[in-house]
Amino acid sequence: MAAALRVVAAGARLSVVASGLRAAIRSLCSQPVSVDERIENKRRAALLGGGQRRIDAQHQRGKLTARERISLLLDPGSFVESDMFVEHRCADFGMAADKNKFPGDSVVTGRGRINGRLVYIFSQDFTVFGGSLSGAHAQKICKIMDQAITVGAPVIGLNDSGGARIQEGVESLAGYADIFLDTSYLFITGPDVVKSVTNEDVTQEELGGAKTHTTMSGVAHRAFENDVDALCNLREFFNYLPLSSQDPAPVRECHDPSDRLVPELDTIVPLESTKAYDMLDIIHSVIDERDFFEIMPNYAKNLVIGFGRMNGRTVGIVGNQPKVASGCLDINSSVKGARFVRFCDAFNIPLITFVDVPGFLPGTAQEYGGIIRHGAKLLYAFAEATVPKVTVITRKAYGGAYDVMSSKHLLGDTNYAWPTAEIAVMGAKGAVEIIFKGHEDVAAAQREYIEKFANPFPAAVRGFVDDIIRPSSTRARICRDLDVLASKKVQRPWRKHANIPL
Amino acid sequence: MAGLRVGTAALVAAGRRLPRQLMRSAAPWALKTVPHYSKQRLTFSRSLGSVGYDPNEKTFDKILIANRGEIACRVIKTCKKMGIKTVAIHSDVDAGSVHVKMADEAVCVGPAPTSQSYLNMDAIMEAIKKTRAEAVHPGYGFLSENKEFARCLAAEDVTFIGPDTHAIQAMGDKIGSKLLAKEAKVNTIPGFDGVVKDADEAVRIAREIGYPVMIKASAGGGGKGMRIAWNDDETRDGFRFSSQEAASSFGDDRLLIEKFIDNPRHIEIQVLGDKHGNALWLNERECSIQRRNQKVVEEAPSIFLDPETRRVMGEQAVALARAVKYSSAGTVEFLVDSKKNFYFLEMNTRLQDPYKSFGLPSIGRLSQYQEPVHLPGVRVDSGIQPGSDISIYYDPMISKLITYGSDRNEALKRMEHALDNYVIRGVTHNIALLREVIINSRFVKGDISTKFLSDVYPDGFKGHTLTKTERSQLLAIASSLFVASQLRAQRFQEHSRVPVIKPDVSTWELSVRLNDEDHSVTASSSGSVFSVEVDGSKLNVTSTWNLASPLLSVSVDGSPRTVQCLSREAGGNMSIQFLGTVYKLRVLTKFAAELNKFMLEKVAEDTSSILRSPMPGVVVAVSVKPGDVVAEGQEICVIEAMKMQNSMAAGKTGKVKSVRCKAGDTVGEGDLLVELE
């Protein structure tokens, strides 16, 4: 308390001193160190965080310091720091000692710009008490968050902390958390606790490494090679997002003609309906400049999600991936998709859905795991979304999974079918086996079923698709639709919040 | 896609046109009794020379093209010009391919393997009957030299557009054709052909001819199974191998032992004959640039031949054509030694097949494809389009690129430019090699032989070697691209309530990594011009900086370059096709590069060495067995589930330790399928 008072007093004195006389006055002062020098010293100390030795240790681990990360992420010279002088207030266990005080404490906060766009940022400093969360640390983060909300700018959190409590809160605010491959771990309880409670032997990497969280748990959305790669990609990713939920999806200068025809799509769907193809090929050739920022590329790979641009405007893309598990929907892909759809809807990002789905994955594992409950999340998310929704059925759209994939019935704005589309309750073989059980001429029945249902017409005559389009015209059609849908407004009756089936 | 190639062969053609009188002499020959197919030939020759056809002449109403790809497309194109209806045949995997789309009708003749489709004579005869085609154009390869097929057609009174069976038969046999050539007073390579009793006899023959000699099975085509012997021991070895191969592969014991011509050039003469005994020659093509006896680059006229040699070669070629009553277009191949002695090699009784494929089969999907046909003096013959699948079943040659010019230099320059402007993405190709060959000083001087590629690239072709200037240019272009994309990233249509304040950076300090070397670069831009300083030297780079276009025309200090940016990642990695070769670079700001030094070297990723079934299903096929070495991404097995076939690929390169499933097995989710070591 006394220390704090002294700072205020010193500050007051400074304000009345004319700058030209400062040196003279300093020499007359009885204090051993002038206020200016103390300010300088504190700033210098803050810039060094936990000190050179700890910075070197951080580098040796292949990690950057909190400040280096900020400098790399933000436009050069744009960082404006706040709370550089904040120190922790803990007095127990000798923490009050000067050697345990670090100006700025274990987090660096402030604001800056990425490609000219405003962003608030906090970056935990592992060199100060392992980046652990103190009261002061939390207070600093809350301060910039409050400011960000008042001006309508986002917050980016760069986490590097031994303390686990902060993560949950941060993640919800930052929207997406990026963790770095090989140098990062994320878990609720560490390997030692796991061993003592469940008797499992597990390493940090296995329990909460980048690979675990990007391929198995779905906790992290992307993993990168290292800090530099991650931060460069974060700059790229940031450009896809609006600054706040009050802003429309950003439109960046685009060199790719919006009416570009894509002849390669006319042959992409194989003639045999059992043969797989890569949905990413379709996505890449439709969006601007083949530039696709995929989210969760290694988790539930039977559903592809990510951001792209159409005529410069950010869009969210959801597509079944026929290459993986035939593109069917299962628990993990449903949850992955649902989260993404809601993210896009929350931030006014139009949704483009490419459908080739043979159904929900059958089996006890899925049923016991609650596929109905989880599948409903994706259905709910699409139904609830009020952003422009354009859907393209490339091949299979079977059964309940067809409904779920941003169908007309979930209020898709524009729903297209390619000539190869088959919109039906199920595939011909399965259907015939049920309808004509024990029947003599199954082959003929199957042919009849294919003739009747394995094409886009039944859906088109009922208006479930708005048009049957040539695949090569897909990009031009979507760009045109998005221009029209830019002014889309949906009024929903007031409610406290929607009740997604969690 | 690793390790796959597509042959893109190139022909460099200079401006020499066909002699006028030659074409005049061709005109009467083209008319009258065999108007149908001679016209076909003439149109072909027009592309080589300058002759039109008479639109009033009678033609076939409809022909069937018993081929696929580039040649089928070329024939169909000509038919369209002549008002002839066309029928394409195709295998099931080719149903969506270009030649099928171009033709008026198409008939599927079987599944993918050629033996069941393009070589399936029964199905093709059926297709001919069904479509009532009056004639068949065989293209090259497949059934073009199959006398049985020609006979079947004759029996059905369908015209075979090509030489008659007699000629095919006469020229199809190496020994027979050589005897015929000898009789027709065509220069032949001294040698022996026939049944060789034993190794001793082989040695005696070899000594008579004089070393070095070449030994091969008479029935084997091209350079297949060819062995060269420089002494008695090697002759014995060669005899053993070749006689074994002759018996096992061809069921024909005869061997060919002949003088081996060291450093020969491969020059061939195109001939045309009709059914009235007329025959003429159409100058030569030099095809010395070969790889594994497959042609890579062709040139016409040959820089090597003098008018006299050309005339003698042409006359001998015509003599041979007359001797076999040749009544079609054909090619007489000669080997030419350094003293311009030439020897008859073989005669191809078919449409010229100038650019056979080479390299490994390339499979994949052409994600982007753009031919440089907008350039002057460029012709592209291809049978593909964006989105085409290059399948494992067929010849990986995807296209032929031809440039013309008023002189050799112009034709070569245009070839260089055309190769730079050729966009092929999704499959590997040999543009880099082709471009290197045509700018190679030995090639430019005309100092070539069939050994050119193995001489110039003894350890295999590894891409272009940059000079210091070229390296600076590449670094300047990459840096400019990086800055252009960084600047573009700041250009938003402003809708946000917080205004955008663009960073005020006038000079970009960069560090560019190329071939494990870091280069300091400073770049500043004014409009479309970048001033770039690379390792101390200054360059001006101008372009439209269109970041969407696959081709980028750049001017570096006034010298024009066409580059292709194949990929550009947020982390600074780029790959740029420059001077034909693809270079990988990493562009970072100087600051990022400083920090990048702290990043740990990436340890080899521990990809899972076990492959588990991702879902319940049935194993349809297992393509590996224990002990096999598999490459990352290689198919290990196929699982059918959801009535869909899922190809399971190796997660890493390694040796197969155990295979825990077999075709027909039903597997559950998570079941172990294959273990790698």
Side-chain angles (χ1 to χ4, degrees):
Chain A
M1 201 59 174
L5 272 178
R6 239 187 353 251
V7 170
V8 172
R13 195 185 308 168
L14 180 70
S15 66
V16 295
V17 175
S19 58
L21 297 172
R22 212 177 279 169
I25 289 170
R26 191 186 295 157
S27 65
L28 296 172
C29 265
S30 58
Q31 288 166 320
V33 183
S34 77
V35 172
D36 268 12
E37 277 175 44
R38 285 180 60 194
I39 294 169
E40 276 312 305
N41 288 344
K42 286 279 183 196
R43 282 200 196 281
R44 219 174 298 129
L47 293 178
L48 273 179
Q52 194 58 47
R53 201 172 50 81
R54 290 207 175 90
I55 290 175
D56 293 343
Q58 180 84 345
H59 285 161
Q60 258 152 35
R61 280 191 290 266
K63 290 160 60 171
L64 299 180
T65 66
R67 287 177 187 280
E68 286 166 344
R69 286 173 181 157
I70 289 175
S71 308
L72 200 51
L73 178 62
L74 300 180
D75 293 343
S78 70
F79 182 52
V80 179
E81 186 167 348
S82 62
D83 289 342
M84 209 182 202
F85 297 103
V86 166
E87 291 176 0
H88 74 80
R89 297 172 293 271
C90 181
D92 298 328
F93 309 112
M95 287 291 276
D98 267 1
K99 70 173 171 69
N100 281 333
K101 295 267 185 178
F102 297 89
D105 203 25
S106 50
V107 66
V108 182
T109 61
R111 62 164 201 267
R113 294 188 178 259
I114 294 177
N115 288 315
R117 301 162 81 222
L118 182 66
V119 61
Y120 284 80
I121 187 166
F122 68 86
S123 177
Q124 293 178 318
D125 188 347
F126 195 79
T127 65
V128 178
F129 301 121
S132 62
L133 185 83
S134 65
H137 179 133
Q139 189 191 333
K140 281 180 73 170
I141 293 176
C142 290
K143 192 196 259 183
I144 58 145
M145 284 178 174
D146 289 344
Q147 278 181 20
I149 288 167
T150 54
V151 300
V155 177
I156 292 179
L158 301 173
N159 295 349
D160 190 356
S161 164
R165 286 167 297 154
I166 189 77
Q167 260 88 356
E168 284 305 304
V170 165
E171 219 194 309
S172 61
L173 288 157
Y176 279 101
D178 298 280
I179 68 171
F180 311 145
L181 204 62
D182 298 335
T183 56
S184 307
Y185 310 100
L186 213 61
F187 29 67
I188 303 283
T189 51
D192 295 343
V193 181
V194 170
K195 175 75 182 168
S196 69
V197 177
T198 67
N199 204 28
E200 289 171 291
D201 282 311
V202 65
T203 64
Q204 280 199 23
E205 181 63 37
E206 286 165 353
L207 186 63
K211 192 166 180 184
T212 303
H213 286 317
T214 53
T215 63
M216 289 162 72
S217 72
V219 166
H221 295 91
R222 269 293 277 271
F224 298 97
E225 299 267 312
N226 53 46
D227 287 21
V228 172
D229 196 37
L231 293 165
C232 289
N233 274 281
L234 187 51
R235 276 180 72 85
E236 175 102 344
F237 174 61
F238 186 76
N239 254 12
Y240 285 99
L241 306 181
L243 291 188
S244 76
S245 62
Q246 306 301 307
D247 292 318
V251 182
R252 193 193 67 181
E253 180 183 290
C254 171
H255 297 168
D256 203 350
S258 65
D259 58 354
R260 171 170 59 86
L261 290 181
V262 194
E264 55 265 40
L265 291 186
D266 285 336
T267 52
I268 192 161
V269 176
L271 295 161
E272 305 113 275
S273 66
T274 51
K275 219 173 133 191
Y277 60 93
D278 192 347
M279 188 57 87
L280 283 168
D281 284 343
I282 295 183
I283 295 170
H284 286 147
S285 52
V286 165
I287 60 175
D288 292 355
E289 298 174 25
R290 310 178 72 81
D291 209 353
F292 184 55
F293 196 96
E294 192 173 352
I295 304 293
M296 301 175 94
N298 295 311
Y299 177 79
K301 288 158 90 169
N302 40 342
L303 192 81
V304 176
I305 56 171
F307 297 97
R309 293 188 181 86
M310 293 297 274
N311 201 14
R313 179 187 281 111
T314 299
V315 292
I317 290 170
V318 180
N320 305 109
Q321 174 56 285
K323 248 179 73 177
V324 180
S326 309
C328 66
L329 286 175
D330 58 4
I331 292 173
N332 288 350
S333 58
S334 298
V335 174
K336 172 181 171 180
R339 169 104 165 99
F340 180 74
V341 168
R342 296 197 97 211
F343 181 90
C344 290
D345 189 46
F347 291 102
N348 312 313
I349 296 169
L351 282 162
I352 297 171
T353 309
F354 292 99
V355 184
D356 186 349
V357 64
F360 279 100
L361 181 64
T364 50
Q366 291 290 312
E367 293 294 353
Y368 296 172
I371 179 72
I372 295 178
R373 193 159 52 85
H374 296 293
K377 291 177 183 173
L378 184 55
L379 179 123
Y380 193 97
F382 269 123
E384 183 192 41
T386 58
V387 289
K389 291 183 279 191
V390 180
T391 305
V392 181
I393 299 171
T394 59
R395 189 166 63 178
K396 292 173 191 175
Y398 289 166
Y402 149 68
D403 283 315
V404 169
M405 292 301 294
S406 197
S407 64
K408 204 74 190 169
H409 322 292
L410 301 182
L411 305 178
D413 293 299
T414 315
N415 294 58
Y416 292 121
W418 284 4
T420 42
E422 305 169 16
I423 301 145
V425 176
M426 57 171 74
K429 201 169 164 222
V432 168
E433 274 166 14
I434 294 169
I435 305 171
F436 298 99
K437 201 168 183 181
H439 205 272
E440 293 269 301
D441 197 355
V442 177
Q446 204 171 318
R447 272 197 303 278
E448 191 190 342
Y449 191 94
I450 289 172
E451 182 64 28
K452 271 212 169 102
F453 297 114
N455 60 62
F457 294 109
V461 296
R462 286 165 182 81
F464 297 167
V465 295
D466 298 292
D467 203 352
I468 303 170
I469 60 168
R470 278 191 73 77
S472 52
S473 69
T474 305
R475 171 176 166 83
R477 300 286 292 243
I478 296 176
C479 284
R480 223 164 54 190
D481 293 336
L482 290 178
D483 276 347
V484 172
L485 290 168
S487 59
K488 179 183 175 185
K489 280 241 153 48
V490 178
Q491 292 292 328
R492 290 272 163 84
W494 185 91
R495 51 184 167 177
K496 193 171 171 191
H497 61 67
N499 192 13
I500 188 164
L502 290 174
Chain B
M1 213 63 65
L4 302 172
R5 320 194 49 148
V6 169
T8 311
L11 167 69
V12 186
R16 184 188 296 263
R17 296 272 161 122
L18 290 167
R20 276 284 160 104
Q21 69 278 17
L22 203 72
M23 296 325 299
R24 266 202 295 278
S25 74
W29 157 85
L31 299 174
K32 311 294 180 311
T33 37
V34 280
H36 319 307
Y37 100 73
S38 55
K39 250 176 58 182
Q40 181 72 28
R41 294 291 122 250
L42 257 190
T43 309
F44 171 64
S45 70
R46 191 168 70 127
S47 62
L48 298 166
S50 56
V51 163
Y53 71 95
D54 174 4
N56 300 316
E57 192 182 323
K58 175 156 176 10
T59 62
F60 290 116
D61 288 330
K62 191 195 268 185
I63 71 164
L64 180 143
I65 298 97
N67 216 306
R68 65 183 299 284
E70 171 271 326
I71 184 59
C73 293
R74 187 141 54 101
V75 174
I76 294 169
K77 235 182 253 170
T78 304
C79 288
K80 282 201 165 148
K81 274 187 211 156
M82 297 175 69
I84 300 170
K85 288 198 206 76
T86 50
V87 181
I89 59 162
H90 62 89
S91 65
D92 52 7
V93 293
D94 269 352
S97 60
V98 181
H99 76 282
V100 173
K101 282 185 201 153
M102 281 173 70
D104 299 308
E105 289 173 68
V107 182
C108 180
V109 289
T114 51
S115 59
Q116 295 169 49
S117 51
Y118 295 100
L119 294 173
N120 183 348
M121 280 192 243
D122 292 342
I124 294 171
M125 292 310 296
E126 198 55 43
I128 293 166
K129 278 181 215 157
K130 202 171 110 191
T131 58
R132 292 162 195 264
E134 295 160 62
V136 171
H137 196 303
Y140 54 72
F142 293 136
L143 296 171
S144 64
E145 291 175 87
N146 187 308
K147 51 197 182 214
E148 181 57 33
F149 183 58
R151 213 173 288 139
C152 284
L153 291 175
E156 294 291 330
D157 208 17
V158 175
T159 310
F160 178 77
I161 302 179
D164 58 29
T165 43
H166 165 71
I168 294 181
Q169 197 159 6
M171 287 297 127
D173 180 274
K174 295 280 167 304
I175 293 172
S177 68
K178 215 174 146 183
L179 287 173
L180 264 166
K182 242 181 205 164
E183 281 166 26
K185 304 212 161 34
V186 175
N187 298 358
T188 53
I189 301 168
F192 171 91
D193 36 55
V195 177
V196 180
K197 206 169 72 227
D198 53 25
D200 288 341
E201 194 184 340
V203 168
R204 201 175 57 246
I205 295 165
R207 285 184 181 166
E208 264 170 38
I209 297 167
Y211 285 113
V213 296
M214 180 207 77
I215 306 168
K216 70 173 190 176
S218 298
K224 216 172 163 186
M226 182 175 103
R227 280 173 190 86
I228 293 146
W230 296 78
N231 54 44
D232 293 355
D233 285 350
E234 286 176 13
T235 306
R236 286 170 201 281
D237 285 350
F239 168 78
R240 204 172 60 243
F241 285 121
S242 298
S243 51
Q244 272 166 11
E245 188 176 73
S248 64
S249 304
F250 307 108
D252 182 338
D253 290 341
R254 289 173 305 160
L255 289 188
L256 186 62
I257 304 178
E258 63 182 24
K259 177 93 181 162
F260 174 68
I261 296 154
D262 207 7
N263 285 321
R265 301 171 82 111
H266 179 126
I267 296 177
E268 53 192 35
I269 303 271
Q270 186 104 27
V271 291
L272 289 174
D274 71 7
K275 288 191 173 165
H276 304 279
N278 299 307
L280 53 85
W281 54 278
L282 296 168
N283 286 356
E284 80 285 359
R285 301 164 179 238
E286 164 135 25
C287 316
S288 298
I289 308 294
Q290 305 184 346
R291 188 177 156 122
R292 295 188 205 116
N293 295 299
Q294 306 281 18
K295 297 157 191 173
V296 175
V297 177
E298 296 198 355
E299 177 172 2
S302 165
I303 192 171
F304 187 61
L305 293 192
D306 53 61
E308 179 54 20
T309 314
R310 177 176 296 122
R311 187 185 59 77
V312 180
M313 282 173 82
E315 280 167 4
Q316 291 199 5
V318 163
L320 181 62
R322 285 218 174 91
V324 291
K325 298 193 172 61
Y326 199 75
S327 57
S328 180
T331 312
V332 182
E333 299 184 356
F334 292 97
L335 283 183
V336 184
D337 71 14
S338 54
K339 297 180 183 65
K340 297 201 176 97
N341 297 313
F342 60 88
Y343 306 96
F344 169 72
L345 195 60
E346 61 179 310
M347 179 169 184
N348 293 319
T349 53
R350 51 174 146 77
L351 190 64
Q352 173 59 320
D353 169 11
Y355 327 81
K356 274 202 83 173
S357 64
F358 63 94
L360 298 162
S362 169
I363 50 161
R365 191 169 179 279
L366 274 178
S367 56
Q368 276 175 292
Y369 181 73
Q370 205 173 295
E371 293 172 352
V373 285
H374 57 287
L375 302 173
V378 173
R379 188 179 111 201
V380 179
D381 287 336
S382 73
I384 46 165
Q385 60 184 10
S388 285
D389 269 313
I390 311 298
S391 114
I392 52 167
Y393 298 106
Y394 311 114
D395 196 328
M397 192 210 49
I398 57 172
S399 107
K400 300 190 291 208
L401 175 63
I402 302 121
T403 59
Y404 303 86
S406 57
D407 57 26
R408 188 169 191 259
N409 189 39
E410 185 179 59
L412 286 174
K413 278 280 160 236
R414 284 178 169 174
M415 177 58 79
E416 223 180 293
H417 197 45
L419 288 169
D420 284 340
N421 280 275
Y422 209 139
V423 179
I424 304 172
R425 306 279 166 83
V427 296
T428 48
H429 53 75
N430 64 342
I431 282 181
L433 171 72
L434 294 172
R435 200 182 184 285
E436 273 314 281
V437 168
I438 61 157
I439 62 164
N440 182 283
S441 59
R442 269 186 59 186
F443 181 87
V444 172
K445 268 189 285 180
D447 172 21
I448 55 174
S449 76
T450 54
K451 289 180 167 167
F452 178 84
L453 291 178
S454 53
D455 284 353
V456 177
Y457 310 109
D459 306 319
F461 176 65
K462 300 206 167 66
H464 179 74
T465 309
L466 293 170
T467 64
K468 194 164 176 289
T469 315
E470 289 168 348
R471 193 182 61 202
S472 297
Q473 290 183 347
L474 172 61
L475 292 169
I477 292 168
S479 304
S480 304
L481 258 173
F482 176 83
V483 176
S485 77
Q486 294 288 313
L487 290 173
R488 201 265 301 259
Q490 303 163 3
R491 294 193 202 115
F492 290 95
Q493 261 181 37
E494 228 176 288
H495 285 304
S496 158
R497 64 173 159 148
V498 188
V500 172
I501 298 174
K502 287 183 191 168
D504 186 21
V505 181
S506 56
T507 306
W508 297 71
E509 304 263 332
L510 306 174
S511 171
V512 188
R513 171 158 280 225
L514 170 66
N515 298 333
D516 289 329
E517 266 177 54
D518 290 318
H519 302 269
S520 304
V521 177
T522 5
S524 55
S525 82
S526 67
S528 59
V529 185
F530 283 86
S531 310
V532 189
E533 199 178 313
V534 181
D535 296 331
S537 61
K538 279 199 171 129
L539 299 100
N540 279 320
V541 190
T542 315
S543 172
T544 56
W545 305 114
N546 182 318
L547 297 167
S549 164
L551 289 170
L552 199 63
S553 295
V554 184
S555 154
V556 191
D557 278 344
S559 64
R561 297 280 183 212
T562 302
V563 299
Q564 302 188 24
C565 185
L566 277 62
S567 68
R568 205 180 63 237
E569 290 164 18
N573 289 312
M574 273 185 201
S575 42
I576 294 179
Q577 185 178 321
F578 175 69
L579 302 172
T581 296
V582 176
Y583 294 93
K584 291 193 185 323
L585 302 104
R586 186 169 193 195
V587 187
L588 288 173
T589 60
K590 192 146 258 175
F591 178 64
E594 283 302 315
L595 295 181
N596 199 50
K597 291 187 179 134
F598 296 122
M599 300 298 105
L600 301 177
E601 282 294 313
K602 183 141 172 61
V603 282
E605 205 183 344
D606 177 31
T607 41
S608 175
S609 47
I610 47 177
L611 186 71
R612 292 181 184 280
S613 173
M615 63 196 149
V618 178
V619 179
V620 178
V622 182
S623 6
V624 295
K625 54 184 191 308
D628 284 1
V629 175
V630 293
E632 185 180 336
Q634 186 182 329
E635 179 178 293
I636 286 195
C637 62
V638 178
I639 294 195
E640 186 176 299
M642 309 287 295
K643 311 209 165 41
M644 290 278 293
Q645 303 211 335
N646 295 276
S647 167
M648 313 297 304
K652 66 167 188 187
T653 300
K655 205 177 203 177
V656 177
K657 192 171 160 197
S658 65
V659 176
R660 307 290 186 85
C661 62
K662 59 180 193 301
D665 282 1
T666 303
V667 291
E669 182 179 334
D671 283 4
L672 184 61
L673 301 173
V674 170
E675 248 183 307
L676 301 180
E677 272 175 13

